[in-house]
Amino acid sequence: MAAMVLVVTAFGAFASVAAANGGGGGGQVNIVRHGAAPSKVPANTHYYKTIQAAVNASKSGDWVLIEPGTYYEEVKVTNAQSGIWIRGMNRNTVIIDGQGKVGNGLEIYKASNVWVENLTVRNFEFGAGCPDEECGNDIWWNGGSGSKKIGAHGWYGSYLTAYDTGLTGGYGIFTDNETEGSWENIYASGFADSGIYIGACQECKARVSGAIMENNALGYSGSNAGGKLLLENSIYRHNTVGIAPNSENPGDGPPPQDGECGRPNIENPNPTPIITTTNIPRCTIIRNNIITENNNLTAPVNGSTGVAPWGA
C-alpha cells in the first residue's frame, strides 16, 4: 500500500517580505532559496542556502521564509529561536524531504511560541540507531519527550502536509509535553503510528480544526492529553483506527488526565484529588468531524499499533 498524497491549496504563496516584516512586529526576515540572492536586498532581510542556517540566525519576532524547492535536510529549532515564524511560500512546492532516511524533518525542541505554516515534510523514517518515537517524525513540537513534565508552550501549525511513502514513518504532525497550541488545515498520510499526535499534557489548551487524516495506523492519537482540548471540523478516514484518545499509566507523562476541567494545578496535583461524582465539568470535546471507514488493514503499523484493535 502506498501512502496517499493529497495536493492541497497553499495559502501563503503571496507572502512578501513586507507582509512578513509587518506581521512579525518588525523582526528581521531570513529568506531561504537555492539560487543567489537578488542584487538589491531590503533592510533587515538576509538570504540563506539552507533552512537550518536561516533558523540559526533567527530570534524571537523574526521570520524564516522558504522559497519553493526541495530541501534535503533535517531542521531543528531550539529555545534560542522561541517566538519565530517559519513559513513556506507554497505549501505544495516547499518540501523538506527525508529521502527515506532515519531522522526527523522539522523538530521544534523546547522552544515556545513557534509557528510553522504552508509547507510539506515527507519521508523521514524510524529505524536502527534511533530510540522508539525519537525518529520518523515529520513535524514535531517536542517539549521534552520522556521528561514527564511540560517543557514549552505555544505550538502553532497551519496549512501543513506530512506524508510517508516508505511507510516506516512514526508521527506526521506531533506535539508532546507542551501546552497552548493549535493545528488548522493540516494533512497527514502513511504513518505507522499516527497522522497527528497530542500527548503528555493534562491541561493541553489545544485545538485541532480542518485536519484530514487518512491511511495511517491511527488518525489521531492522544496519550494523556486532556483538559481544554478541542478536536473539530476534521476528517478521519481509511486509517486503521480513526481517533484514539487514552489515559495510561505508565505512559507519556505527565500522568493521565482525570476528566476534570478547570481545577488549579492540574499538572501536579498535591494531594491527588478524590473525585466523588461523575457530575463534573468536561473540557475535552470531539465534535463536528467525519470519522468514517477506519478499518484499513493495509495501513502501516509499528510494534504498538500493530497489535492494537482496529475498526474504531
Side-chain angles (χ1 to χ4, degrees):
M1 191 279 292
M4 181 180 294
V5 179
L6 180 68
V7 177
V8 288
T9 302
F11 93 109
F14 63 86
S16 66
V17 171
N21 207 3
Q28 71 177 9
V29 178
N30 297 318
I31 300 177
V32 185
R33 65 158 51 173
H34 287 314
S39 57
K40 294 184 178 180
V41 178
N44 298 319
T45 303
H46 307 274
Y47 281 81
Y48 297 88
K49 295 289 188 182
T50 67
I51 302 170
Q52 187 65 64
V55 166
N56 291 346
S58 301
K59 61 183 184 303
S60 181
D62 291 349
W63 287 76
V64 174
L65 297 183
I66 309 169
E67 294 193 355
T70 302
Y71 298 86
Y72 301 104
E73 57 179 303
E74 294 184 66
V75 180
K76 190 165 187 176
V77 180
T78 65
N79 181 261
Q81 291 90 40
S82 289
I84 69 170
W85 281 259
I86 300 172
R87 177 182 289 181
M89 303 301 282
N90 184 299
R91 180 177 181 176
N92 296 319
T93 59
V94 173
I95 301 170
I96 303 175
D97 190 346
Q99 300 178 284
K101 298 176 182 178
V102 174
N104 296 305
L106 175 54
E107 179 183 0
I108 300 97
Y109 181 70
K110 291 187 176 181
S112 295
N113 299 317
V114 173
W115 294 73
V116 180
E117 303 172 313
N118 210 41
L119 51 79
T120 293
V121 185
R122 67 187 183 193
N123 295 337
F124 288 85
E125 317 297 339
F126 60 80
C130 192
D132 186 34
E133 298 184 1
E134 296 298 315
C135 285
N137 309 306
D138 276 9
I139 307 172
W140 183 14
W141 283 263
N142 179 0
S145 179
S147 67
K148 301 187 183 298
K149 60 183 181 181
I150 300 299
H153 63 88
W155 47 271
Y156 306 102
S158 60
Y159 297 91
L160 299 174
T161 298
Y163 66 89
D164 192 278
T165 56
L167 307 183
T168 55
Y171 298 91
I173 303 173
F174 178 14
T175 184
D176 68 285
N177 298 89
E178 297 203 27
T179 62
E180 302 170 27
S182 66
W183 290 323
E184 296 182 326
N185 301 306
I186 60 173
Y187 175 85
S189 175
F191 291 93
D193 203 295
S194 58
I196 51 176
Y197 179 91
I198 299 173
C201 51
Q202 285 183 307
E203 180 52 87
C204 296
K205 299 179 182 177
R207 176 176 179 261
V208 177
S209 179
I212 300 176
M213 299 290 118
E214 58 188 359
N215 298 320
N216 305 287
L218 308 174
Y220 164 86
S221 180
S223 295
N224 295 344
K228 297 179 180 67
L229 174 61
L230 178 60
L231 309 178
E232 64 179 356
N233 304 327
S234 298
I235 299 172
Y236 302 87
R237 65 190 177 200
H238 304 301
N239 305 286
T240 306
V241 172
I243 293 181
N246 69 86
S247 290
E248 59 177 334
N249 192 14
D252 199 352
Q257 54 96 7
D258 60 15
E260 289 190 286
C261 174
R263 175 169 52 79
N265 199 28
I266 191 171
E267 296 287 357
N268 298 289
N270 187 18
T272 300
I274 297 175
I275 302 171
T276 59
T277 175
T278 58
N279 186 24
I280 58 177
R282 307 282 168 75
C283 287
T284 299
I285 300 170
I286 301 173
R287 68 185 181 193
N288 300 334
N289 301 289
I290 296 173
I291 308 170
T292 182
E293 298 179 271
N294 291 290
N295 55 0
N296 181 0
L297 297 184
T298 66
V301 295
N302 61 19
S304 61
T305 60
V307 297
W310 55 272

